[in-house]
Amino acid sequence: MAERPLTLMAVHAHPDDEAIGTGGILARYADEGVRTILVTCTNGELGDAPGGLKPDHPDHDESVVVPLRLQELQASCDVLGVSKLELLGYHDSGMDGWPQNTLPNAFWNTPVADAAHQLADLMRLYEPQVVVTYDENGFYGHPDHIQANRITHAAIEECGIPQKLYYTAVARSLMTTFGEVLAEAGIETPSEVREDPEFGTPDELITTVIDCSEVSGRKYASLAAHASQSDNIFFLQMGEELFGRVMGSESFVRVIDRTGSPTPEDDLFAGLR
């Protein structure tokens, strides 16, 4: 029986999330010959429409937004070398507190077991040894990110795959340095970071840091591929050089491990090769 290939699966909520939180690992591991699978749960209906029209604008048309965002998502995947893009096809729920949170077809309102079964089928198909998604708070409280966390855990419970599960993370200790670097460049720190001293992940929880410096340019290019959302992608203000300086690594919290690999790690596949 042929040995199954090393496979990384990233479970994200919207088009463009893959670039921000995991663009580095998707590109790095693709370069190493690892099969990379991106699962995107929603179509991003509540992103900006052409011309920067916000979802509450009367001319915001989801039938225009969706094909554009999915085209940009595929372009991002091409830049990152993603082996396969899988779309669950749920409706974007919007930010916490938006009226669209209550839509019956919103991802946030989808029964966890239903979406988890779809994801479990993909896990059975690709048999990833490593899966990456958000923490229980969706990193910053976005309903669709929280739902992605929930369905990932339910899918793992259903199918018993993978051997390792990680949450994306940003070390809290880096937030001060991040703000200082931005200030030197004349860029204002995002309000959610500036106003929340608890933003980020406590350093002691981080188990894994991956050096992605050699692919930081591709990570930036994958963000730029989502051109229609440029107003919402803070990191594009930084330019590629500054972005590479501060975003040259990606951090994670290991929450499931069946390998016995010790932490801290510098490889998501430690214990698997």
Side-chain angles (χ1 to χ4, degrees):
M1 182 179 296
E3 184 176 350
R4 60 189 174 121
L6 289 179
T7 302
L8 166 66
M9 175 179 284
V11 181
H12 283 293
H14 313 98
D16 77 22
D17 289 334
E18 80 291 338
I20 297 168
T22 56
I25 59 168
L26 288 170
R28 170 180 163 160
Y29 284 111
D31 285 354
E32 293 182 11
V34 172
R35 184 172 58 170
T36 53
I37 311 299
L38 172 62
V39 179
T40 302
C41 297
T42 80
N43 298 321
E45 287 90 346
L46 300 181
D48 289 358
L53 299 181
K54 304 301 179 182
D56 59 353
H57 192 284
D59 293 329
H60 184 278
D61 186 346
E62 292 183 5
S63 69
V64 174
V65 172
V66 169
L68 175 58
R69 296 209 69 187
L70 297 184
Q71 180 182 7
E72 291 174 340
L73 176 59
Q74 185 59 61
S76 171
C77 287
D78 291 344
V79 168
L80 297 174
V82 170
S83 305
K84 182 67 176 180
L85 169 63
E86 294 283 359
L87 305 172
L88 297 190
Y90 291 103
H91 193 285
D92 193 339
S93 309
M95 299 291 285
D96 185 32
W98 285 17
Q100 293 92 339
N101 293 171
T102 63
L103 289 173
N105 63 338
F107 182 45
W108 177 240
N109 294 318
T110 300
V112 168
D114 292 351
H117 185 65
Q118 273 189 277
L119 182 57
D121 281 346
L122 292 175
M123 290 182 179
R124 293 185 186 99
L125 175 63
Y126 294 109
E127 296 186 310
Q129 294 92 348
V130 175
V131 171
V132 177
T133 193
Y134 319 98
D135 64 19
E136 298 91 339
N137 189 47
F139 190 64
Y140 64 97
H142 194 297
D144 287 333
H145 291 210
I146 294 170
Q147 186 76 330
N149 169 278
R150 291 173 177 172
I151 74 163
T152 299
H153 276 281
I156 292 171
E157 186 174 348
E158 177 181 330
C159 68
I161 302 169
Q163 293 177 266
K164 303 175 86 173
L165 171 68
Y166 292 90
Y167 294 159
T168 57
V170 176
R172 192 169 290 165
S173 64
L174 295 179
M175 291 296 100
T176 300
T177 303
F178 182 63
E180 292 171 351
V181 171
L182 292 181
E184 290 175 5
I187 300 172
E188 187 175 0
T189 305
S191 59
E192 58 265 38
V193 176
R194 189 174 63 251
E195 298 168 4
D196 182 4
E198 299 299 304
F199 189 88
T201 304
D203 288 50
E204 63 271 18
L205 297 182
I206 292 176
T207 60
T208 313
V209 179
I210 308 300
D211 181 2
C212 301
S213 56
E214 292 189 3
V215 295
S216 64
R218 282 164 57 199
K219 180 173 179 176
Y220 185 82
S222 74
L223 280 170
H226 296 280
S228 69
Q229 307 305 305
S230 58
D231 284 354
N232 303 320
I233 302 177
F234 162 79
F235 294 102
L236 290 176
Q237 299 177 35
M238 300 169 67
E240 183 176 339
E241 191 276 331
L242 180 59
F243 179 85
R245 280 174 50 200
V246 300
M247 301 294 287
S249 65
E250 292 178 351
S251 299
F252 303 89
V253 177
R254 192 176 79 185
V255 290
I256 292 177
D257 174 61
R258 310 184 205 278
T259 70
S261 174
T263 57
E265 303 170 312
D266 60 5
D267 179 12
L268 297 177
F269 289 88
L272 292 164
R273 59 178 174 181

